[in-house]
Amino acid sequence: EDSAPVDALVRMRDMGLLQEISPLLQFPQTKESLLEEIEKVITWYRLLFRSQAPDIWIVYFLGLVSGFDARQVLALTTRLQFPPRRVELIESTRRQLRYTAMQLAQWARNQGRPADLYEILAPLSLEGLLYTMARQRKEELRKAVSQYLTHLQDVQIAVSGRDIAALGLPPGPHYSTILRAVKRAVLNAEVATREEQLALAQRLANSLAGEAR
């Protein structure tokens, strides 16, 4: 992989090589700045030494097609002969990004909790997360995505469906409701130990059992 892919893309653009592949690959200075931010974010992520590695060219491609409509993106992925897996990842990520951007802005306005941030970002692919971080102009939102990547996505809870069954609640959709509530409480630092999580699950189970009567 090129250690300085943005420089390589700029050189290819300036030499007219990208335009020969497709006129859609011509990009202005504003998009060059976005690609540079993507490069910085990818470098930052690599230094975390996490086991999951992104498809970095998908992240750059998301930057290149920023502002494109679906027809233009399809034309470009077809011209570049992207395999179906990559095309699907790009299309699904672009659909999610539009919704995520609105949710993040609302989260910031409402001074949302970590659990809300987790639920906004969890559906995104790693490539979508890195792209989202790169395109943020507000430092607050960039830090929020960073917090998700370095901490929130790793949060686990110490209770399971088996624990809920042991509380006497019959199997059903209430299990996922309780587990989600416990996960949110852990993310928001409202409970920490297994005992605290079980106590919360017990209160929730009692409440749900009372509603069912």
Side-chain angles (χ1 to χ4, degrees):
E1 292 179 350
D2 197 318
S3 59
V6 175
D7 286 345
L9 286 170
V10 170
R11 288 196 302 272
M12 291 175 68
R13 179 200 62 188
D14 293 344
M15 294 171 65
L17 299 177
L18 291 181
Q19 295 90 310
E20 287 187 14
I21 298 171
S22 171
L24 291 170
L25 287 174
Q26 172 68 22
F27 56 90
Q29 179 68 39
T30 52
K31 196 164 284 189
E32 185 178 330
S33 298
L34 173 58
L35 294 174
E36 288 171 350
E37 288 301 318
I38 289 172
E39 189 169 74
K40 291 176 185 175
V41 167
I42 289 173
T43 299
W44 167 83
Y45 182 80
R46 282 174 166 165
L47 292 175
L48 298 178
F49 298 103
R50 297 185 66 90
S51 58
Q52 186 182 6
D55 184 335
I56 65 168
W57 286 108
I58 292 292
V59 189
Y60 284 113
F61 188 80
L62 289 169
L64 284 169
V65 301
S66 173
F68 285 16
D69 60 33
R71 179 185 56 80
Q72 291 172 310
V73 175
L74 179 60
L76 197 50
T77 56
T78 302
R79 178 70 180 86
L80 296 173
Q81 298 183 331
F82 277 18
R85 183 192 66 81
R86 270 188 164 182
V87 174
E88 173 55 32
L89 177 58
I90 290 165
E91 290 177 348
S92 62
T93 299
R94 275 171 52 88
R95 286 193 298 268
Q96 290 173 321
L97 286 172
R98 288 189 287 271
Y99 186 51
T100 300
M102 293 186 294
Q103 287 185 306
L104 269 180
Q106 186 175 8
W107 176 84
R109 286 195 300 270
N110 297 340
Q111 298 181 325
R113 306 293 303 281
D116 301 317
L117 178 64
Y118 175 90
E119 292 183 345
I120 290 169
L121 296 178
L124 278 180
S125 64
L126 176 55
E127 292 79 10
L129 288 164
L130 295 174
Y131 176 74
T132 296
M133 185 173 173
R135 70 175 298 170
Q136 297 307 319
R137 295 181 180 178
K138 293 183 178 180
E139 189 65 21
E140 173 192 8
L141 291 178
R142 184 179 284 251
K143 286 181 177 179
V145 181
S146 169
Q147 182 190 17
Y148 176 85
L149 284 167
T150 58
H151 172 61
L152 296 180
Q153 69 169 337
D154 297 323
V155 170
Q156 301 292 326
I157 60 176
V159 298
S160 66
R162 184 175 299 178
D163 294 310
I164 298 173
L167 298 176
L169 195 67
H174 291 328
Y175 278 38
S176 60
T177 300
I178 292 173
L179 291 173
R180 177 174 177 258
V182 173
K183 180 73 169 278
R184 286 183 59 85
V186 172
L187 287 164
N188 290 333
E190 296 165 351
V191 297
T193 66
R194 172 172 164 79
E195 289 72 22
E196 291 172 338
Q197 294 177 42
L198 281 171
L200 174 58
Q202 179 72 75
R203 292 195 299 273
L204 292 167
N206 292 343
S207 175
L208 290 169
E211 291 177 3
R213 292 193 187 103

